[in-house]
Amino acid sequence: RNSKKEADLSLAQARMRDLDAQLNAKEADLATALSANRSLENDLHELRDQVTTLELSLQDTKKHLHSEMLRRVDLENHMKTLQEQMTFQKRLHEDELKEAKRIHESRIAEVESGRRREFESKLSDALQGLRKQHEEQIQEYKVELERTFSAKMENMQLSAARSTDFANAAREELMETKLRADTLTSQVNQYQSQNAALENRIRELQEMLDYDRDLNRRRLAEKEKEIAQVQQQAQTQLDEYENLLDVKLALDLEINAYRKMLEGEEQRLKLSPSPSSHSIATPATSQGRLLPHGKKRKIKARKRAHSTGFKTVQHASSSGNISIEEIDADGKFVRLRNNSDEDQSLHGWALRRHLESVSDATYKFPSLFTLQAGQVVTIWGAAAGASPGPSDLVWKSQKSWGTGDSIGVTLITDDGEELAERKIMQIPRGEESGEQDDDYEEVTGSEMEYPPRTKRRRKKKCCLVS
């Protein structure tokens, strides 16, 4: 009954640990969701800042385009002004030429008729030279104005095209930013709804956990009361047993004294000794010698081997928080335990298997696997034929961990350090000197009568009281 209650207590504690692990997982999921929400909010703020910057740049571009258009209008007005000035200069030159012709004709009319032809020829040559000079200057002015106007127009067209392209790109980027902002807003709303659902679920789990804790606490208190009652009953029976042993020892001593007195009387009277006295006194005295009051008793615990001809010997060592708890003799699984109070990430860690006739094989843990504090993980072979639990792992590339006379497994960290090792060997009985076939463990009487409550699993032992 006590073992059943201890089993129920262990089951309740295991369930409590599972609920704590689930609560920790949910809290981790909540923290991840909150961090994602914060990152999305930061992205949204950044996108809003980018939209504001793009709007400002678009306004600057529009202002620049407006200023360029004004400059273009100014240049066109300036060009028209130059054309008007050129027309005015041309008319002015024509008027001057006409005036010069009139003056020259008047002067020619005044000179002598003999020199009229000479002056006319010289005048015509001068007029032709002046006309050519004026035409060349007008052509140069025209070419320069056309070149300046074409260059200005090309520059204005290029700047207008660049401004248009930049405005189109800014408009497209603004549309994409708006679409992305809408998408992020919908995602934020979705994450907020998921966060609210997770918070409700966490609240429900917390209530369930509190209820289970209270229930387990009440059950644990009841179990402790029952254990205390059982220990008190055992102590009472032990006291009664010791009192009976004391009474028996006193009776044996008294019987021995009577036997000696009877033998002395028989010797004095020269009578034959009674045969029943030895048979009665011998077992009593032997029992009295074997069980004196307050003396410690020995308990021998025999360990079973896998076969009658071989003995299984295990060597284990660990220099960190993670230890190799168990290696299955049939090669089905290897079990690890986290002996610390903190979670341990096994990213980059590996288990190396050593067999006698087979080359070493290495199992690598998943990148995101974490061994919880105080928990165990079982790594099964691919052909183990067992259904792994939610926290167990499977070595898919190997059917089993191997069998043989010597199986070794080494735990290696991501830095290449050998953190733990366990080796299981089959040794023939009687081969090692100084060892017995059946190992035994000495336990004092106080340890047998008052078993301490420890969390270690104790093996079942066959006890013989001598």
Side-chain angles (χ1 to χ4, degrees), residues 273-335:
S274 61
S276 62
S277 61
H278 296 283
S279 62
I280 295 172
T282 302
T285 55
S286 63
Q287 291 180 1
R289 287 193 301 270
L290 287 175
L291 290 175
H293 179 69
K295 188 176 181 180
K296 296 181 179 179
R297 292 174 293 277
K298 293 182 180 179
I299 300 174
K300 293 184 178 181
R302 301 180 178 271
K303 299 180 179 179
R304 296 181 180 177
H306 289 284
S307 63
T308 57
F310 292 89
K311 180 173 64 175
T312 302
V313 178
Q314 295 192 16
H315 298 281
S317 63
S318 175
S319 60
N321 297 328
I322 308 299
S323 63
I324 301 176
E325 187 76 8
E326 184 180 357
I327 299 176
D328 185 43
D330 297 331
K332 293 183 178 181
F333 62 86
V334 170
R335 184 171 288 120

Side-chain angles (χ1 to χ4, degrees), residues 29 34 47 62 69 86 102 209 219 232 251 314 347 355 391 413 424 430 435 437:
D29 294 337
L34 291 175
L47 289 173
K62 288 180 179 179
M69 292 295 291
M86 185 177 66
R102 188 180 60 79
L209 180 61
R219 290 180 178 177
Q232 187 176 2
L251 291 174
Q314 295 192 16
H347 171 66
L355 293 177
S391 61
T413 63
I424 179 171
E435 292 186 357
D437 291 341

Side-chain angles (χ1 to χ4, degrees), residues 141-348:
Y141 287 153
K142 186 177 180 181
V143 171
E144 185 177 359
L145 286 173
E146 289 178 354
R147 189 183 299 112
T148 304
F149 179 74
S150 62
K152 294 284 186 180
M153 287 297 294
E154 289 178 357
N155 292 329
M156 290 296 295
Q157 289 177 357
L158 291 175
S159 62
R162 285 196 297 269
S163 299
T164 305
D165 295 336
F166 184 74
N168 293 329
R171 190 178 296 107
E172 292 177 357
E173 189 174 358
L174 181 61
M175 293 297 292
E176 293 177 357
T177 304
K178 286 182 178 179
L179 291 175
R180 188 176 177 186
D182 295 336
T183 305
L184 290 175
T185 304
S186 62
Q187 290 180 359
V188 167
N189 294 328
Q190 184 179 1
Y191 284 137
Q192 287 178 355
S193 61
Q194 292 179 359
N195 189 13
L198 289 175
E199 288 179 353
N200 294 327
R201 181 60 178 168
I202 289 171
R203 195 177 299 108
E204 293 176 358
L205 291 174
Q206 185 67 31
E207 292 176 358
M208 293 172 61
L209 180 61
D210 294 336
Y211 175 73
D212 291 337
R213 282 179 177 173
D214 295 335
L215 182 60
N216 291 326
R217 192 178 295 110
R218 290 194 296 269
R219 290 180 178 177
L220 184 61
E222 293 176 358
K223 297 292 183 182
E224 289 179 351
K225 290 180 180 179
E226 292 179 358
I227 290 171
Q229 293 177 0
V230 171
Q231 288 181 352
Q232 187 176 2
Q233 293 177 1
Q235 179 65 28
T236 304
Q237 292 178 359
L238 184 61
D239 294 336
E240 293 177 357
Y241 181 66
E242 289 181 351
N243 293 329
L244 290 174
L245 287 177
D246 294 337
V247 173
K248 185 177 180 181
L249 180 60
L251 291 174
D252 290 337
L253 293 175
E254 189 175 354
I255 291 171
N256 194 12
Y258 284 123
R259 184 179 61 79
K260 287 182 179 180
M261 292 172 60
L262 182 60
E263 288 177 355
E265 291 294 330
E266 289 177 351
Q267 289 178 1
R268 187 175 63 82
L269 298 175
K270 295 180 181 182
L271 299 175
S272 60
S274 61
S276 62
S277 61
H278 296 283
S279 62
I280 295 172
T282 302
T285 55
S286 63
Q287 291 180 1
R289 287 193 301 270
L290 287 175
L291 290 175
H293 179 69
K295 188 176 181 180
K296 296 181 179 179
R297 292 174 293 277
K298 293 182 180 179
I299 300 174
K300 293 184 178 181
R302 301 180 178 271
K303 299 180 179 179
R304 296 181 180 177
H306 289 284
S307 63
T308 57
F310 292 89
K311 180 173 64 175
T312 302
V313 178
Q314 295 192 16
H315 298 281
S317 63
S318 175
S319 60
N321 297 328
I322 308 299
S323 63
I324 301 176
E325 187 76 8
E326 184 180 357
I327 299 176
D328 185 43
D330 297 331
K332 293 183 178 181
F333 62 86
V334 170
R335 184 171 288 120
L336 304 182
R337 177 181 290 276
N338 186 356
N339 299 315
S340 66
D341 296 334
E342 298 178 355
D343 299 343
Q344 177 65 50
S345 175
L346 300 185
H347 171 66

Side-chain angles (χ1 to χ4, degrees), residues 311 313 427-439:
K311 180 173 64 175
V313 178
I427 299 176
R429 294 183 178 276
E431 180 177 319
E432 296 182 356
S433 61
E435 292 186 357
Q436 296 180 356
D437 291 341
D438 294 331
D439 299 333

Side-chain angles (χ1 to χ4, degrees), residues 21-44:
Q22 291 179 4
L23 180 59
N24 293 329
K26 294 299 181 180
E27 290 178 352
D29 294 337
L30 178 58
T32 305
L34 291 175
S35 62
N37 189 9
R38 286 193 294 272
S39 63
L40 289 173
E41 288 179 355
N42 293 328
D43 293 338
L44 182 59

